[in-house]
Amino acid sequence: MMPPQPASVPDYQQKIKQVFAEVGKVVVGQHYMLNRLLIGLFTGGHILLEGVPGLAKTLTISTLSKVLHLHFQRVQFTPDLLPSDLVGTMIYNQNQSEFEVKKGPIFANLVLADEVNRSPAKVQSALLEAMQEKQVTIGETTYPLDLPFLVLATQNPVEQEGTYPLPEAQVDRFMMKVYVDYLKKTDELEVMRRMANMSYVGEVSPVLTKEDIFGIRQQINQVQISETLEKYIIELVFATRKPAEYDLTEFQQYVQFGVSPRASIALHRAAKAVAFLDERDYVLPEDIKEVATDVLNHRILLNYEAEADGIRTQDLIEAILRKVPIS
């Protein structure tokens, strides 16, 4: 029996359009958020969503999981969550008179870490190993996670009580931090009408398989990016570290730390994914600029003086995109 042949690029593009259509049966608007989730899925990058309650962050992720032939688990992060609740633990089997491993919800392809900033450091440490190493340690044994593995996390920027700031090392592991905004009036009107109808059920059908996802990743790897644009990415990254060298002297006093090398890798991958989703096999400068804010915003660390003067990372990124030339 011949193995199934990989789909062609047009087939993949058609399936991606189907994903948007299927998710749209349940989630109104939020095209931008879904686009970023797919970029993460197709490049192997974890995504952090931040927005006020009620913007369909959790609904979008859970609906997307139904459109994919992937194992999905949701973990509600709470202050009393233990690392063993996430990764699993050793339990004693009386019948066999020995300990055996009971794997936790982290053993999935898609893991929704809901309100990720509500759990203490030990839980974050366990999640960090899974995100970076694609493995977890239970007792003295390390277990690899099934691929693809992706953490899609949400956090609420409003409530501070009972939350823990995420460690910088963990924040840096997220490929993008996406700020989810309110819906447009027309979209919110549609949401209201749907939800007012208590019998409404949005049924979705699976579209993408694991093989499709790996195939799309191979196609994205083949998207061409010129040396000029690669150097442009490096200049953007270095401008966050030493703004004064890029005619951004007014920001120098506010920057405590610029972005890490993971930012340049993430920008490179994300720009290729944007080009692929736009049905191109080459990267344009606009592709890099489109994802720059989401890739850089959570990696720039400003000092207290910036907070006092009302300077945001968004202000610095916008200034960098204006000032740094493509040479």
Side-chain angles (χ1 to χ4, degrees), residues 124-144:
Q124 302 299 346
S125 178
L127 181 62
L128 180 60
E129 180 188 8
M131 290 173 64
Q132 181 61 22
E133 308 296 337
K134 305 292 191 297
Q135 64 182 31
V136 297
T137 302
I138 304 175
E140 297 180 353
T141 308
T142 298
Y143 299 88

Side-chain angles (χ1 to χ4, degrees), residues 80-117:
D80 60 349
L81 192 73
L82 298 174
S84 58
D85 296 327
L86 181 65
V87 303
T89 188
M90 305 287 291
I91 60 173
Y92 186 71
N93 186 326
Q94 291 183 335
N95 295 329
Q96 302 293 331
S97 298
E98 62 183 17
F99 284 93
E100 62 183 32
V101 174
K102 180 182 180 183
K103 294 182 177 180
I106 198 70
F107 287 89
N109 299 119
L110 281 181
V111 177
L112 167 56
D114 219 354
E115 296 190 278
V116 68
N117 57 333

Side-chain angles (χ1 to χ4, degrees), residues 45-108:
H46 310 292
I47 305 294
L48 177 61
L49 301 178
E50 182 172 299
V52 299
L55 297 183
K57 301 184 295 296
T58 301
L59 178 63
T60 302
I61 294 172
S62 60
T63 304
L64 176 62
S65 72
K66 296 174 184 176
V67 181
L68 308 172
H69 290 273
L70 296 178
H71 181 202
F72 171 73
Q73 288 281 10
R74 173 182 174 179
V75 183
Q76 186 67 46
F77 278 57
T78 57
D80 60 349
L81 192 73
L82 298 174
S84 58
D85 296 327
L86 181 65
V87 303
T89 188
M90 305 287 291
I91 60 173
Y92 186 71
N93 186 326
Q94 291 183 335
N95 295 329
Q96 302 293 331
S97 298
E98 62 183 17
F99 284 93
E100 62 183 32
V101 174
K102 180 182 180 183
K103 294 182 177 180
I106 198 70
F107 287 89

Side-chain angles (χ1 to χ4, degrees), residues 303-321:
N303 55 29
Y304 290 109
E305 190 176 351
E307 185 176 354
D309 292 347
I311 301 297
R312 308 169 302 155
T313 56
Q314 175 72 24
D315 301 324
L316 173 57
I317 295 168
E318 290 175 355
I320 288 172
L321 292 175

Side-chain angles (χ1 to χ4, degrees), residues 58-289:
T58 301
L59 178 63
T60 302
I61 294 172
S62 60
T63 304
L64 176 62
S65 72
K66 296 174 184 176
V67 181
L68 308 172
H69 290 273
L70 296 178
H71 181 202
F72 171 73
Q73 288 281 10
R74 173 182 174 179
V75 183
Q76 186 67 46
F77 278 57
T78 57
D80 60 349
L81 192 73
L82 298 174
S84 58
D85 296 327
L86 181 65
V87 303
T89 188
M90 305 287 291
I91 60 173
Y92 186 71
N93 186 326
Q94 291 183 335
N95 295 329
Q96 302 293 331
S97 298
E98 62 183 17
F99 284 93
E100 62 183 32
V101 174
K102 180 182 180 183
K103 294 182 177 180
I106 198 70
F107 287 89
N109 299 119
L110 281 181
V111 177
L112 167 56
D114 219 354
E115 296 190 278
V116 68
N117 57 333
R118 289 197 175 276
S119 288
K122 285 186 177 181
V123 177
Q124 302 299 346
S125 178
L127 181 62
L128 180 60
E129 180 188 8
M131 290 173 64
Q132 181 61 22
E133 308 296 337
K134 305 292 191 297
Q135 64 182 31
V136 297
T137 302
I138 304 175
E140 297 180 353
T141 308
T142 298
Y143 299 88
L145 296 170
D146 189 25
L147 299 179
F149 173 73
L150 200 65
V151 173
L152 306 175
T154 70
Q155 66 179 23
N156 179 357
V158 178
E159 297 178 37
Q160 296 303 318
E161 186 176 349
T163 63
Y164 301 81
L166 297 180
E168 294 300 327
Q170 182 175 354
V171 172
D172 197 30
R173 262 70 172 189
F174 285 102
M175 181 186 194
M176 292 189 284
K177 180 179 181 180
V178 181
Y179 291 100
V180 184
D181 206 351
Y182 290 106
L183 295 170
K184 296 184 294 186
K185 291 181 180 178
T186 52
D187 289 336
E188 189 150 343
L189 178 62
E190 177 62 23
V191 170
M192 181 180 68
R193 286 171 173 167
R194 283 190 187 182
M195 295 301 104
N197 180 4
M198 291 181 286
S199 62
Y200 176 81
V201 178
E203 297 289 345
V204 297
S205 302
V207 176
L208 290 178
T209 64
K210 283 185 182 182
E211 290 72 23
D212 290 327
I213 293 168
F214 290 130
I216 290 171
R217 288 184 179 182
Q218 289 180 351
Q219 295 299 328
I220 289 174
N221 280 337
Q222 295 174 22
V223 172
Q224 298 298 308
I225 179 169
S226 68
E227 185 178 349
T228 299
L229 291 183
E230 288 181 328
K231 290 180 177 178
Y232 176 57
I233 289 174
I234 298 301
E235 295 297 328
L236 293 177
V237 166
F238 271 72
T240 69
R241 301 169 187 169
K242 298 180 179 179
E245 295 183 7
Y246 294 83
D247 195 25
L248 296 163
T249 310
E250 66 273 23
F251 290 98
Q252 185 68 53
Q253 61 179 319
Y254 299 124
V255 177
Q256 188 170 349
F257 294 107
V259 301
S260 75
R262 288 193 184 93
S264 54
I265 298 169
L267 264 178
H268 196 280
R269 289 179 178 174
K272 282 188 169 186
V274 170
F276 182 81
L277 290 173
D278 283 347
E279 302 185 22
R280 283 181 281 106
D281 61 358
Y282 58 91
V283 174
L284 296 173
E286 289 74 19
D287 299 330
I288 298 170
K289 293 178 180 179

